[in-house]
Amino acid sequence: MNVDYIIVGFGLAGLAFAETLEKHDKSFVVFEDNSQNASIVAGGMYNPVILKRFTPVWDAIDQLRIALPFYKGLEKKLDVKLDYPIDIYRIFSSIEEQNNWFNACDKPFFAKYMIPEVRKNSNEAINAPFGFGKITNTGKIDTKVLLDKYKDYLANKGAIHFEQFDYSLAALDNQTVFYKDYVAKCIVFCEGFGVKRNPYFKDIPLREAKGELLTIHAPELRIDFLLKSSVFIMPLGNDHYKVGATFNWTDKTLLPTEDGKNELLTKLKRIITTDFEVVEHVAGIRPTVKDRRPILGKHPQYEQLAILNGLGTRGVLLAPKMATKLFDHLDNNADLDKEIDIARFD
Ligand SMILES: Cc1cc2nc3c(=O)[nH]c(=O)nc-3n(C[C@H](O)[C@H](O)[C@H](O)COP(=O)(O)OP(=O)(O)OC[C@H]3O[C@@H](n4cnc5c(N)ncnc54)[C@H](O)[C@@H]3O)c2cc1C
């Protein structure tokens, strides 16, 4: 069967590329083996402010400009709710942090997002003697629902295979790729940390960071905003909250660990004073890059092989814009910006 593209991996990167192909009436088939799950467990937050230092996220405004209509379009196409606007309350740990907050609020970039005041805490279940800074026009995408629904959509069209892509079976000639029953113009690899098994791209300089998350049931907490301190506490409805996330640079397994859980619980108990019960514990590996920029482009030797990876800690914001950039590069020969081009590592 002839297709324009084969996509390997269906996390946020693979999904964004598939949707971009659909918009351009290109044919494709996806291979997905459930070996990674960053996109499934992700908090799904989009927020243009780095909450540690109150600085702008790289390229965030343009990424938001593309991402929000992208997810709105998918809500319509898949007939499902995905985008949940939610404010963020950043707990201040000192007077100095309050001052830093006001300094940042003075910058035009933040005008739409950071409210220039210190909010007092009136919730006895929260420990915040220095109050909060509120960030608005932020939200979360329900990535699990999005991926599940889009997989169903592709399965109905016969455009996804739930199996491992076997790299040894891919054959290349000058302009074409052959894989099992398929002949394609290009394979786009979107495997997240799974790229380490890919003989063509395994040497890209990833600095993967495992993250663990808890879901808790805390009936007395009663917050309808995302609370951020050393961990975030995100309301899920029905008194359930997602709590995360850890950063582990050495453990590359997908399994949740006791250490990860204890770290989250220790931090959580410093923030909330109410009783809670842990109901779920998950882990995933963020495909982060040493220079903190995504990795896009063609294989230096094989033009028919391309990559979309390195979405790091911000896949929700990055994926739609990066998918568009890669498509324009592959299909229309547009140049890639140096800072995202895989060629920067040559
Ligand atoms: C704990 C945690 C919290 C996070 N919170 C946020 C957040 O709030 N906001 C945000 O924007 N980002 C967040 N992220 C980051 C976000 O999850 C990632 O940026 C994003 O999911 C990366 O997507 P991806 O598609 O590149 O990789 P992945 O999600 O890892 O997807 C890769 C896919 O490829 C498949 N695959 C791999 N190899 C093969 C093969 N050989 N054959 C077939 N299939 C294959 C895997 O099964 C997987 O489905 C978080 C991540 C973690 C771990």
Side-chain angles (χ1 to χ4, degrees):
M1 192 189 293
N2 280 301
V3 287
D4 293 314
Y5 289 87
I6 294 172
I7 300 175
V8 178
F10 201 72
L12 286 170
L15 182 146
F17 197 73
E19 177 61 8
T20 306
L21 293 179
E22 288 237 318
K23 281 184 182 151
H24 290 88
D25 286 328
K26 300 288 173 186
S27 57
F28 65 91
V29 63
V30 174
F31 288 84
E32 165 55 47
D33 70 354
N34 286 326
S35 57
Q36 295 293 323
N37 58 2
S39 299
I40 294 169
V41 303
M45 281 302 294
Y46 56 84
N47 159 37
V49 184
I50 295 179
L51 294 170
K52 218 176 193 174
R53 301 181 293 274
F54 314 139
T55 49
V57 169
W58 167 72
D59 191 38
I61 300 302
D62 204 46
Q63 289 165 23
L64 272 171
R65 181 184 64 78
I66 293 169
L68 294 182
F70 176 87
Y71 295 113
K72 271 278 163 270
L74 286 174
E75 284 188 330
K76 246 190 182 165
K77 171 172 178 159
L78 303 172
D79 191 21
V80 66
K81 180 147 179 65
L82 300 170
D83 184 5
Y84 295 85
I86 182 170
D87 293 333
I88 299 174
Y89 280 42
R90 164 68 154 79
I91 296 182
F92 294 130
S93 60
S94 62
I95 300 283
E96 192 191 345
E97 269 204 335
Q98 294 176 348
N99 291 336
N100 294 344
W101 178 266
F102 283 111
N103 287 340
C105 287
D106 282 344
K107 297 183 182 127
F109 175 91
F110 292 120
K112 195 175 155 198
Y113 301 101
M114 293 172 71
I115 310 295
E117 63 182 28
V118 174
R119 301 222 149 192
K120 286 217 171 93
N121 177 29
S122 57
N123 184 335
E124 283 181 4
I126 300 173
N127 186 15
F130 293 97
F132 316 101
K134 177 177 164 181
I135 302 167
T136 193
N137 288 313
T138 49
K140 72 159 189 181
I141 299 297
D142 192 330
T143 54
K144 181 171 181 329
V145 167
L146 168 60
L147 286 161
D148 285 349
K149 283 278 179 184
Y150 211 117
K151 282 176 193 165
D152 288 349
Y153 168 79
L154 292 180
N156 281 335
K157 296 192 347 167
I160 188 165
H161 297 284
F162 294 102
E163 62 184 59
Q164 189 175 102
F165 183 86
D166 184 343
Y167 304 96
S168 68
L169 299 182
L172 311 175
D173 71 11
N174 281 346
Q175 293 188 335
T176 324
V177 188
F178 303 88
Y179 182 73
K180 294 192 172 174
D181 295 337
Y182 292 96
V183 181
K185 283 194 272 184
C186 183
I187 305 181
V188 176
F189 292 105
C190 306
E191 307 118 308
F193 175 56
V195 73
K196 291 286 171 197
R197 295 183 296 185
N198 181 332
Y200 300 102
F201 289 106
K202 66 179 171 23
D203 294 326
I204 59 168
L206 280 191
R207 191 166 170 251
E208 325 77 29
K210 177 171 174 176
E212 300 190 37
L213 290 157
L214 301 175
T215 301
I216 62 166
H217 182 228
E220 303 300 322
L221 184 54
R222 297 198 188 101
I223 55 171
D224 60 1
F225 47 82
L226 183 138
L227 188 60
K228 173 74 176 117
S229 179
S230 53
V231 289
F232 69 75
I233 305 171
M234 174 194 283
L236 301 174
N238 296 325
D239 299 322
H240 284 75
Y241 300 87
K242 206 174 249 194
V243 179
T246 58
F247 271 83
N248 185 321
W249 304 96
T250 48
D251 178 3
K252 306 299 181 203
T253 67
L254 284 179
L255 297 175
T257 64
E258 265 319 286
D259 280 356
K261 182 174 175 181
N262 289 336
E263 180 186 329
L264 291 171
L265 289 178
T266 304
K267 288 178 174 168
L268 178 63
K269 285 175 187 166
R270 283 190 210 126
I271 304 170
I272 64 170
T273 54
T274 178
D275 289 341
F276 61 86
E277 183 196 353
V278 176
V279 295
E280 196 185 26
H281 181 192
V282 293
I285 301 185
R286 307 170 184 88
T288 49
V289 184
K290 288 191 175 141
D291 65 5
R292 293 163 189 262
R293 296 290 178 265
I295 298 183
L296 275 65
K298 295 178 194 164
H299 190 276
Q301 213 177 328
Y302 308 110
E303 290 253 311
Q304 317 92 305
L305 305 181
I307 187 166
L308 176 47
N309 208 314
L311 301 186
T313 58
R314 298 185 201 279
V316 167
L317 263 183
L318 278 168
K321 179 169 173 180
M322 294 306 124
T324 308
K325 289 265 173 199
L326 183 63
F327 177 77
D328 286 345
H329 180 60
L330 298 178
D331 230 71
N332 305 322
N333 258 329
D335 286 341
L336 285 170
D337 300 335
K338 264 212 176 93
E339 56 192 337
I340 57 174
D341 191 342
I342 188 172
R344 72 189 186 275
F345 300 114
D346 276 355

